[in-house]
Amino acid sequence: MHIFVTGGAGYIGSICVEELLNAGYQVTVFDSLVEGHKLAIEPRANFIQGDLGDRDFIFKTMAKVKPDAVMHFAAFALVGESMTNPSKYFINNLANGINLIDAMVAADVKKLVFSSTCATYGIPEKVPMDERLPQKPINPYGQSKLMFEQVLKWYDQIHGLVHVNLRYFNAAGASASGKYGEDHRIETHLIPNVLKVALGQKEQVDIFGDKHATPDGTCIRDYIHIIDLAAAHILALKRETSSYYNLGTGEGYSVQQVVDVARKVTGHPIPAVAKPARAGDPPRLVAGAHKAQKELGWKPQFNRLQPIIESAWNWHKAHPNGYGD
Ligand code: UDP
């Protein structure tokens, strides 16, 4: 099977590409390299540099490659940035995504695994969060992903586009080979920022809000190892009908707990300072992922924070400047 991976040079995309190749799939990576990195492109994959905003180019490319399925990772994914620049999120995550699926329909490519997010739920009415919760995003990032899910539903009904929406919680850790890890040009994510302090590249980590409605006042998230995420994508390819799944471990850890575990893993004191809460941040997001376990046969191997942080730390120690670009 030949899989076309948009955003295949990004953090989650590159690691899924490596796992797909290890599992015997043929892969074409499609990436603009705006957020992705040249060195994150698997040498065993075909690579096409392109932007989904270029409608003619994606139509021509899809007609030429004619893959068996598409995994769509290419997107902007920063909650905070989406609150100041919503247009960037709606154009890339929604409008450019429509170029992709129109190109798929034109080329008769009928299967898509879509990288969605728990941010489509907004502030959950209950935790753990299963797929029956209403989707009421509280930031443009989550809204853009929800709108794309809604568009996909119509494309299935009208064009027979089978799609699997994978709603991730917080991806973390590095690839099993140690080759690929998390490197964003502007790093806003918690775990890499905490590890940058341990590497001596930042003086302290900011804790965004210590008065949230959680036991220690800091936000709780469900950190899922990237290798487990990749495994779910490969299982999703086997589905014959459209569906949607939450992907998380079911365990929540607070920002304070992340800092504490990172102190233990790195042996560094990692100074942390409380700062005002970040706009658009729900206090507690923890997955109920039974549906993925039941229907995809998916079972996360990593359900504790420490091995996830160890995996991230090993990569950051080996790549202190990320991919160096
Ligand atoms: N966070 C923090 N300090 C940072 C980065 C993030 O306190 O330097 C918090 C953030 O407010 C959120 C959690 O850590 O509650 C996870 O944030 P991240 O950006 O990693 O992922 P998100 O949940 O926004 O997708």
Side-chain angles (χ1 to χ4, degrees):
M1 250 182 123
H2 185 174
I3 315 299
F4 187 87
V5 182
T6 76
Y11 170 43
I12 304 177
S14 63
I15 294 166
C16 281
V17 167
E18 189 185 34
E19 294 287 331
L20 280 167
L21 289 161
N22 290 347
Y25 291 89
Q26 186 190 344
V27 176
T28 294
V29 168
F30 184 90
D31 200 297
S32 66
L33 298 181
V34 169
E35 294 288 339
H37 307 272
K38 259 205 174 99
L39 288 177
I41 303 166
E42 248 291 331
R44 292 174 290 166
N46 310 316
F47 174 59
I48 297 170
Q49 184 167 358
D51 197 307
L52 292 175
D54 185 343
R55 190 169 164 91
D56 285 347
F57 186 64
I58 187 61
F59 267 69
K60 284 189 189 123
T61 305
M62 195 59 68
K64 204 164 125 202
V65 177
K66 254 193 147 316
D68 296 294
V70 174
M71 285 189 184
H72 178 36
F73 297 98
F76 294 127
L78 303 179
V79 168
E81 182 187 54
S82 81
M83 294 293 284
T84 56
N85 190 358
S87 158
K88 181 173 171 181
Y89 283 73
F90 292 116
I91 290 174
N92 193 35
N93 298 2
L94 180 62
N96 295 352
I98 294 172
N99 289 339
L100 171 70
I101 54 178
D102 282 343
M104 289 175 65
V105 169
D108 204 28
V109 177
K110 290 289 174 67
K111 193 173 275 191
L112 177 77
V113 180
F114 172 52
S115 140
S116 188
T117 169
C118 65
T120 58
Y121 293 108
I123 297 175
E125 285 161 12
K126 66 176 189 57
V127 176
M129 300 156 64
D130 68 27
E131 294 82 355
R132 288 168 298 192
L133 281 176
Q135 288 176 291
K136 293 192 246 170
I138 60 160
N139 50 61
Y141 165 60
Q143 185 73 53
S144 67
K145 291 281 185 171
L146 174 59
M147 289 165 99
F148 194 66
E149 285 197 9
Q150 291 166 335
V151 170
L152 284 175
K153 201 167 160 199
W154 288 108
Y155 274 55
D156 187 5
Q157 192 170 318
I158 297 163
H159 298 299
L161 181 68
V162 174
H163 59 277
V164 182
N165 300 331
L166 298 179
R167 298 176 188 152
Y168 319 153
F169 285 63
N170 289 57
S175 76
S177 66
K179 285 202 292 194
Y180 307 112
E182 187 165 13
D183 176 14
H184 298 109
R185 294 206 167 76
I186 297 172
E187 192 51 80
T188 64
H189 292 102
L190 179 64
I191 292 179
N193 270 321
V194 167
L195 298 178
K196 275 179 196 287
V197 181
L199 283 171
Q201 297 174 348
K202 270 173 71 91
E203 276 187 16
Q204 62 184 45
V205 62
D206 295 334
I207 294 188
F208 297 142
D210 62 353
K211 294 185 179 55
H212 288 283
T214 61
D216 67 18
T218 68
C219 282
I220 291 176
R221 295 287 181 273
D222 181 334
Y223 295 90
I224 170 169
H225 200 292
I226 194 90
I227 294 170
D228 286 325
L229 268 188
H233 285 74
I234 294 175
L235 291 167
L237 282 176
K238 302 193 170 83
R239 275 200 64 89
E240 299 295 335
T241 53
S242 297
S243 197
Y244 45 87
Y245 300 101
N246 289 350
L247 297 179
T249 63
E251 297 287 333
Y253 293 95
S254 71
V255 173
Q256 186 60 55
Q257 285 174 308
V258 169
V259 174
D260 289 342
V261 171
R263 285 176 178 148
K264 196 169 147 198
V265 167
T266 62
H268 189 284
I270 311 183
V273 179
K275 290 282 163 77
R278 200 169 61 175
D281 252 354
R284 188 167 143 90
L285 297 173
V286 179
H290 299 292
K291 188 169 181 247
Q293 295 183 14
K294 197 165 149 234
E295 293 182 16
L296 295 179
W298 176 71
K299 194 167 177 356
Q301 300 172 41
F302 294 86
N303 56 6
R304 312 296 309 166
L305 187 58
Q306 185 162 330
I308 295 178
I309 293 189
E310 280 165 357
S311 158
W313 176 232
N314 289 337
W315 192 81
H316 284 278
K317 262 194 310 192
H319 304 82
N321 299 312
Y323 291 106
D325 56 355

